[in-house]
Amino acid sequence: MKEQSYKKIAVFVVLTFALSSIFYYLVISTGSFPTSYGLGIMWCPGVAGIVTQLIFNHNLRGMGWKPGRGRYLLASYFLPLAYTFVVYAIIWLVGLGKFDPAALYKFVSEANGPDSTPFGIVGTYVVILLTLGFIVNCVAALGEEIGWRGLLVPELAKTTSFAKTALISGGIWAVWHWPLILSGEYNSTGTPLWFGLICFTIMLIGLNFAFTWLRLKSGSLWTTVLLHAAHNLFIQAFFNHLTSNTGITEYVIDEFGIGLALMAPVLAYLFWRKRQDIEVVDTELPRSRVPEFAPAK
Protein backbone atom coordinates (compact mmCIF):
# COMPACT_ATOMS: atom_id res chain seq x y z
CA MET A 1 0.00 0.00 0.00
CA LYS A 2 2.82 2.43 0.82
CA GLU A 3 4.51 1.64 -2.49
CA GLN A 4 1.35 2.59 -4.38
CA SER A 5 1.12 5.85 -2.42
CA TYR A 6 4.75 6.67 -3.20
CA LYS A 7 4.10 6.13 -6.90
CA LYS A 8 0.96 8.27 -6.83
CA ILE A 9 2.80 11.07 -5.05
CA ALA A 10 5.68 10.97 -7.54
CA VAL A 11 3.38 11.03 -10.57
CA PHE A 12 1.28 13.83 -9.08
CA VAL A 13 4.30 16.02 -8.28
CA VAL A 14 5.84 15.53 -11.74
CA LEU A 15 2.55 16.28 -13.48
CA THR A 16 1.93 19.35 -11.32
CA PHE A 17 5.29 20.93 -12.07
CA ALA A 18 5.13 19.93 -15.75
CA LEU A 19 1.77 21.65 -16.21
CA SER A 20 2.79 24.62 -14.07
CA SER A 21 5.96 25.14 -16.12
CA ILE A 22 3.75 26.41 -18.96
CA PHE A 23 2.58 29.28 -16.77
CA TYR A 24 6.03 29.80 -15.23
CA TYR A 25 7.27 30.39 -18.77
CA LEU A 26 4.41 32.74 -19.67
CA VAL A 27 4.86 34.83 -16.53
CA ILE A 28 8.64 35.06 -16.80
CA SER A 29 8.74 35.65 -20.57
CA THR A 30 6.02 38.31 -20.61
CA GLY A 31 6.94 39.97 -17.31
CA SER A 32 3.29 40.06 -16.30
CA PHE A 33 0.97 38.02 -14.10
CA PRO A 34 -2.64 38.59 -15.26
CA THR A 35 -5.61 36.95 -13.59
CA SER A 36 -5.87 34.37 -16.37
CA TYR A 37 -2.34 33.12 -15.63
CA GLY A 38 -3.09 33.05 -11.92
CA LEU A 39 -6.25 31.01 -12.36
CA GLY A 40 -4.54 28.72 -14.83
CA ILE A 41 -1.60 27.89 -12.60
CA MET A 42 -3.82 27.40 -9.54
CA TRP A 43 -5.68 24.68 -11.44
CA CYS A 44 -2.51 22.81 -12.44
CA PRO A 45 -2.36 20.83 -9.13
CA GLY A 46 -6.06 20.06 -9.47
CA VAL A 47 -5.74 18.72 -13.00
CA ALA A 48 -2.64 16.75 -12.00
CA GLY A 49 -4.46 15.33 -8.98
CA ILE A 50 -7.48 14.23 -11.01
CA VAL A 51 -5.31 12.65 -13.73
CA THR A 52 -3.18 10.85 -11.14
CA GLN A 53 -6.24 9.52 -9.30
CA LEU A 54 -7.73 8.23 -12.56
CA ILE A 55 -4.47 6.56 -13.55
CA PHE A 56 -4.11 4.65 -10.30
CA ASN A 57 -7.69 4.24 -9.04
CA HIS A 58 -9.77 4.65 -12.23
CA ASN A 59 -12.22 6.81 -10.28
CA LEU A 60 -12.25 9.99 -8.19
CA ARG A 61 -13.41 8.49 -4.90
CA GLY A 62 -11.47 9.16 -1.74
CA MET A 63 -10.49 12.75 -2.56
CA GLY A 64 -12.85 14.29 0.00
CA TRP A 65 -15.66 15.50 -2.23
CA LYS A 66 -18.38 15.46 0.45
CA PRO A 67 -18.64 18.59 2.63
CA GLY A 68 -18.30 16.84 6.00
CA ARG A 69 -19.44 18.38 9.27
CA GLY A 70 -20.52 22.00 9.32
CA ARG A 71 -18.37 22.91 12.32
CA TYR A 72 -15.19 22.19 10.39
CA LEU A 73 -16.39 24.26 7.44
CA LEU A 74 -17.15 27.18 9.77
CA ALA A 75 -13.78 26.79 11.49
CA SER A 76 -12.06 26.82 8.11
CA TYR A 77 -13.74 30.08 7.15
CA PHE A 78 -13.15 31.95 10.40
CA LEU A 79 -9.64 30.69 11.22
CA PRO A 80 -7.93 33.00 8.67
CA LEU A 81 -9.94 35.95 9.97
CA ALA A 82 -8.75 35.18 13.51
CA TYR A 83 -5.02 34.78 12.88
CA THR A 84 -4.90 37.61 10.34
CA PHE A 85 -6.68 39.99 12.71
CA VAL A 86 -4.18 39.17 15.49
CA VAL A 87 -1.21 39.85 13.20
CA TYR A 88 -2.53 43.13 11.81
CA ALA A 89 -3.81 44.34 15.19
CA ILE A 90 -0.30 43.96 16.61
CA ILE A 91 1.14 45.76 13.58
CA TRP A 92 -1.27 48.67 14.11
CA LEU A 93 -0.72 48.84 17.86
CA VAL A 94 3.08 48.98 17.70
CA GLY A 95 3.08 51.41 14.77
CA LEU A 96 4.64 49.14 12.13
CA GLY A 97 1.62 49.99 10.02
CA LYS A 98 -1.23 52.44 10.45
CA PHE A 99 -4.84 51.39 10.88
CA ASP A 100 -6.32 53.52 8.13
CA PRO A 101 -10.01 53.09 7.18
CA ALA A 102 -9.53 55.98 4.74
CA ALA A 103 -7.10 53.84 2.75
CA LEU A 104 -9.70 51.10 2.42
CA TYR A 105 -12.33 53.70 1.51
CA LYS A 106 -10.03 55.05 -1.19
CA PHE A 107 -9.34 51.57 -2.57
CA VAL A 108 -13.03 50.72 -2.86
CA SER A 109 -14.03 54.15 -4.16
CA GLU A 110 -11.48 53.92 -6.96
CA ALA A 111 -13.01 50.61 -7.96
CA ASN A 112 -16.54 52.08 -7.89
CA GLY A 113 -15.81 55.44 -9.46
CA PRO A 114 -15.42 58.99 -8.13
CA ASP A 115 -19.17 59.67 -7.94
CA SER A 116 -20.03 56.76 -5.66
CA THR A 117 -21.56 57.52 -2.26
CA PRO A 118 -20.13 56.29 1.06
CA PHE A 119 -23.11 53.97 1.42
CA GLY A 120 -22.57 52.66 -2.09
CA ILE A 121 -18.89 52.15 -1.41
CA VAL A 122 -19.47 50.24 1.80
CA GLY A 123 -22.31 48.24 0.29
CA THR A 124 -20.33 47.29 -2.78
CA TYR A 125 -17.34 46.35 -0.66
CA VAL A 126 -19.40 44.06 1.59
CA VAL A 127 -21.06 42.41 -1.40
CA ILE A 128 -17.78 41.83 -3.19
CA LEU A 129 -15.97 40.62 -0.10
CA LEU A 130 -18.58 38.21 1.24
CA THR A 131 -20.24 36.98 -1.95
CA LEU A 132 -18.71 37.39 -5.39
CA GLY A 133 -15.17 37.83 -4.09
CA PHE A 134 -15.38 34.76 -1.90
CA ILE A 135 -16.94 32.64 -4.65
CA VAL A 136 -14.21 33.62 -7.11
CA ASN A 137 -11.55 32.82 -4.53
CA CYS A 138 -13.17 29.43 -3.87
CA VAL A 139 -13.13 28.58 -7.58
CA ALA A 140 -9.44 29.40 -7.77
CA ALA A 141 -8.59 27.70 -4.47
CA LEU A 142 -10.43 24.53 -5.48
CA GLY A 143 -7.90 23.98 -8.26
CA GLU A 144 -5.01 23.87 -5.82
CA GLU A 145 -6.86 22.00 -3.10
CA ILE A 146 -7.90 19.08 -5.31
CA GLY A 147 -4.22 18.43 -5.79
CA TRP A 148 -2.56 19.41 -2.53
CA ARG A 149 -5.17 18.24 -0.05
CA GLY A 150 -7.42 16.09 -2.21
CA LEU A 151 -4.60 13.76 -3.25
CA LEU A 152 -1.18 14.65 -1.83
CA VAL A 153 -2.00 14.96 1.89
CA PRO A 154 -4.11 11.77 2.15
CA GLU A 155 -1.48 9.76 0.26
CA LEU A 156 1.34 11.10 2.41
CA ALA A 157 -0.69 10.39 5.55
CA LYS A 158 -0.82 6.72 4.56
CA THR A 159 2.96 6.53 4.68
CA THR A 160 4.14 8.75 7.55
CA SER A 161 3.21 10.81 10.60
CA PHE A 162 1.02 13.89 10.76
CA ALA A 163 4.00 16.22 11.28
CA LYS A 164 5.94 14.82 8.32
CA THR A 165 2.82 14.88 6.16
CA ALA A 166 2.34 18.58 6.93
CA LEU A 167 6.02 19.44 6.47
CA ILE A 168 6.51 17.54 3.22
CA SER A 169 3.29 18.65 1.55
CA GLY A 170 3.84 22.20 2.79
CA GLY A 171 7.37 22.21 1.44
CA ILE A 172 6.23 21.05 -2.00
CA TRP A 173 3.43 23.62 -1.94
CA ALA A 174 5.90 26.40 -1.10
CA VAL A 175 8.50 25.39 -3.71
CA TRP A 176 5.75 25.32 -6.32
CA HIS A 177 5.34 29.09 -5.73
CA TRP A 178 9.06 29.89 -5.90
CA PRO A 179 9.40 30.48 -9.68
CA LEU A 180 6.59 33.05 -9.51
CA ILE A 181 8.10 34.79 -6.50
CA LEU A 182 11.61 34.83 -7.96
CA SER A 183 10.23 36.21 -11.22
CA GLY A 184 9.28 39.32 -9.25
CA GLU A 185 5.70 39.22 -10.54
CA TYR A 186 4.03 37.49 -7.59
CA ASN A 187 5.38 39.53 -4.68
CA SER A 188 3.73 42.94 -5.02
CA THR A 189 4.76 44.40 -1.66
CA GLY A 190 8.10 45.76 -2.83
CA THR A 191 10.31 43.83 -0.41
CA PRO A 192 13.53 42.14 -1.67
CA LEU A 193 12.87 38.81 -3.39
CA TRP A 194 14.95 36.84 -0.89
CA PHE A 195 13.05 38.35 2.05
CA GLY A 196 9.64 37.69 0.54
CA LEU A 197 10.65 34.16 -0.42
CA ILE A 198 11.76 33.28 3.12
CA CYS A 199 8.70 34.82 4.79
CA PHE A 200 6.31 33.23 2.33
CA THR A 201 7.89 29.78 2.69
CA ILE A 202 7.79 29.86 6.50
CA MET A 203 4.21 31.10 6.45
CA LEU A 204 3.00 28.46 4.00
CA ILE A 205 4.65 25.50 5.71
CA GLY A 206 3.37 26.63 9.10
CA LEU A 207 -0.17 27.21 7.89
CA ASN A 208 -0.14 23.84 6.18
CA PHE A 209 -0.41 22.18 9.59
CA ALA A 210 -3.88 23.71 9.86
CA PHE A 211 -4.75 22.68 6.29
CA THR A 212 -3.53 19.13 6.92
CA TRP A 213 -5.32 18.77 10.24
CA LEU A 214 -8.63 20.02 8.88
CA ARG A 215 -8.44 17.78 5.81
CA LEU A 216 -7.67 14.63 7.79
CA LYS A 217 -9.98 15.43 10.68
CA SER A 218 -13.02 16.32 8.56
CA GLY A 219 -12.40 13.95 5.68
CA SER A 220 -13.47 16.82 3.43
CA LEU A 221 -11.61 18.70 0.73
CA TRP A 222 -14.00 21.64 1.14
CA THR A 223 -12.63 22.63 4.53
CA THR A 224 -9.30 23.51 2.92
CA VAL A 225 -10.99 25.19 -0.04
CA LEU A 226 -12.76 27.54 2.38
CA LEU A 227 -9.60 28.07 4.43
CA HIS A 228 -7.54 28.84 1.33
CA ALA A 229 -10.15 31.18 -0.15
CA ALA A 230 -10.76 33.03 3.13
CA HIS A 231 -7.01 33.41 3.74
CA ASN A 232 -6.48 35.03 0.34
CA LEU A 233 -9.59 37.17 0.59
CA PHE A 234 -9.14 38.60 4.08
CA ILE A 235 -5.49 39.48 3.53
CA GLN A 236 -5.60 40.77 -0.04
CA ALA A 237 -9.03 42.40 -0.10
CA PHE A 238 -9.34 43.69 3.44
CA PHE A 239 -6.42 43.91 5.87
CA ASN A 240 -3.79 45.03 3.35
CA HIS A 241 -6.04 47.86 2.18
CA LEU A 242 -6.89 48.80 5.75
CA THR A 243 -3.19 49.39 6.51
CA SER A 244 -1.16 52.36 5.35
CA ASN A 245 2.63 52.56 5.22
CA THR A 246 4.57 54.01 8.16
CA GLY A 247 8.02 53.30 6.72
CA ILE A 248 8.67 49.56 6.94
CA THR A 249 5.08 48.33 6.68
CA GLU A 250 5.70 46.30 3.53
CA TYR A 251 8.15 44.16 5.53
CA VAL A 252 5.52 43.08 8.06
CA ILE A 253 2.21 42.80 6.18
CA ASP A 254 0.89 40.49 3.48
CA GLU A 255 2.09 36.96 2.73
CA PHE A 256 5.60 38.24 2.09
CA GLY A 257 6.05 40.07 5.38
CA ILE A 258 7.32 38.85 8.70
CA GLY A 259 4.00 39.18 10.56
CA LEU A 260 2.31 36.09 9.14
CA ALA A 261 5.67 34.31 9.01
CA LEU A 262 5.86 34.61 12.81
CA MET A 263 2.22 33.63 13.32
CA ALA A 264 2.43 30.48 11.16
CA PRO A 265 4.78 28.50 13.46
CA VAL A 266 2.44 29.26 16.36
CA LEU A 267 -0.47 27.79 14.39
CA ALA A 268 1.68 24.84 13.37
CA TYR A 269 2.44 24.08 17.01
CA LEU A 270 -1.22 24.38 18.05
CA PHE A 271 -2.40 21.98 15.35
CA TRP A 272 0.53 19.64 15.96
CA ARG A 273 -0.62 19.45 19.58
CA LYS A 274 -4.07 18.39 18.29
CA ARG A 275 -2.71 15.66 16.01
CA GLN A 276 -4.06 12.89 18.24
CA ASP A 277 -7.60 14.20 17.66
CA ILE A 278 -7.54 13.15 14.02
CA GLU A 279 -10.03 10.38 13.32
CA VAL A 280 -8.98 8.55 10.21
CA VAL A 281 -12.27 8.50 8.37
CA ASP A 282 -12.78 9.07 4.66
CA THR A 283 -16.38 10.22 4.33
CA GLU A 284 -16.69 8.80 0.82
CA LEU A 285 -15.63 5.20 1.51
CA PRO A 286 -17.41 2.49 3.47
CA ARG A 287 -15.70 1.97 6.82
CA SER A 288 -14.44 -1.44 5.74
CA ARG A 289 -12.52 0.22 2.93
CA VAL A 290 -11.04 3.14 4.88
CA PRO A 291 -7.25 3.15 4.37
CA GLU A 292 -5.06 2.83 7.44
CA PHE A 293 -3.15 6.04 8.00
CA ALA A 294 0.16 5.96 9.84
CA PRO A 295 -0.24 6.76 13.55
CA ALA A 296 0.39 10.39 14.45
CA LYS A 297 3.71 11.09 16.15
Side-chain angles (χ1 to χ4, degrees):
M1 186 173 183
K2 284 187 178 183
E3 183 178 353
Q4 166 117 342
S5 291
Y6 291 141
K7 290 179 180 179
K8 286 182 71 173
I9 292 167
V11 169
F12 164 72
V13 171
V14 170
L15 281 176
T16 296
F17 279 87
L19 292 172
S20 301
S21 65
I22 298 171
F23 293 95
Y24 295 153
Y25 171 77
L26 290 173
V27 171
I28 294 171
S29 62
T30 62
S32 63
F33 193 31
T35 301
S36 58
Y37 291 175
L39 185 61
I41 198 168
M42 289 182 77
W43 268 89
C44 287
V47 172
I50 289 172
V51 171
T52 302
Q53 186 75 1
L54 290 174
I55 290 173
F56 285 88
N57 294 71
H58 310 296
N59 59 64
L60 298 179
R61 291 195 298 269
M63 298 184 77
W65 298 109
K66 291 186 177 180
R69 295 181 180 179
R71 62 178 177 176
Y72 296 121
L73 296 173
L74 287 174
S76 299
Y77 179 82
F78 286 106
L79 179 62
L81 180 61
Y83 65 69
T84 306
F85 174 76
V86 170
V87 170
Y88 279 77
I90 293 173
I91 290 171
W92 298 331
L93 287 172
V94 301
L96 295 174
K98 180 184 176 182
F99 174 68
D100 192 357
L104 178 62
Y105 180 91
K106 179 181 179 181
F107 165 72
V108 181
S109 66
E110 288 176 350
N112 287 351
D115 297 329
S116 55
T117 64
F119 178 79
I121 289 174
V122 174
T124 301
Y125 166 72
V126 171
V127 169
I128 291 175
L129 182 67
L130 298 180
T131 57
L132 180 61
F134 187 66
I135 292 171
V136 170
N137 273 271
C138 282
V139 170
L142 177 61
E144 285 196 47
E145 294 307 316
I146 290 173
W148 303 133
R149 261 66 63 171
L151 185 135
L152 180 59
V153 162
E155 293 301 328
L156 277 171
K158 296 174 186 177
T159 68
T160 189
S161 67
F162 168 79
K164 290 180 180 178
T165 295
L167 287 170
I168 294 170
S169 60
I172 295 171
W173 189 23
V175 171
W176 177 74
H177 287 85
W178 284 5
L180 299 176
I181 297 174
L182 293 174
S183 73
E185 299 301 324
Y186 187 60
N187 178 359
S188 60
T189 61
T191 58
L193 293 181
W194 65 267
F195 182 86
L197 185 70
I198 292 173
C199 289
F200 184 89
T201 300
I202 294 172
M203 179 204 69
L204 216 60
I205 294 176
L207 290 182
N208 194 49
F209 278 74
F211 278 84
T212 301
W213 190 92
L214 284 163
R215 171 63 177 94
L216 298 179
K217 177 67 174 177
S218 69
S220 173
L221 167 70
W222 297 101
T223 55
T224 61
V225 172
L226 295 183
L227 176 55
H228 195 151
H231 170 90
N232 288 346
L233 190 67
F234 289 135
I235 293 172
Q236 297 168 11
F238 185 69
F239 285 102
N240 280 351
H241 296 296
L242 198 56
T243 308
S244 59
N245 197 343
T246 59
I248 61 170
T249 304
E250 65 269 22
Y251 285 86
V252 295
I253 66 168
D254 203 69
E255 296 180 312
F256 306 97
I258 200 169
L260 287 168
L262 292 176
M263 172 59 74
V266 175
L267 290 171
Y269 174 73
L270 293 175
F271 280 94
W272 176 79
R273 286 287 302 272
K274 291 171 62 65
R275 68 197 184 282
Q276 299 292 352
D277 295 342
I278 295 174
E279 299 172 358
V280 184
V281 174
D282 191 316
T283 57
E284 295 188 343
L285 293 178
R287 188 169 296 276
S288 61
R289 295 177 57 197
V290 173
E292 291 296 330
F293 287 72
K297 298 179 181 178

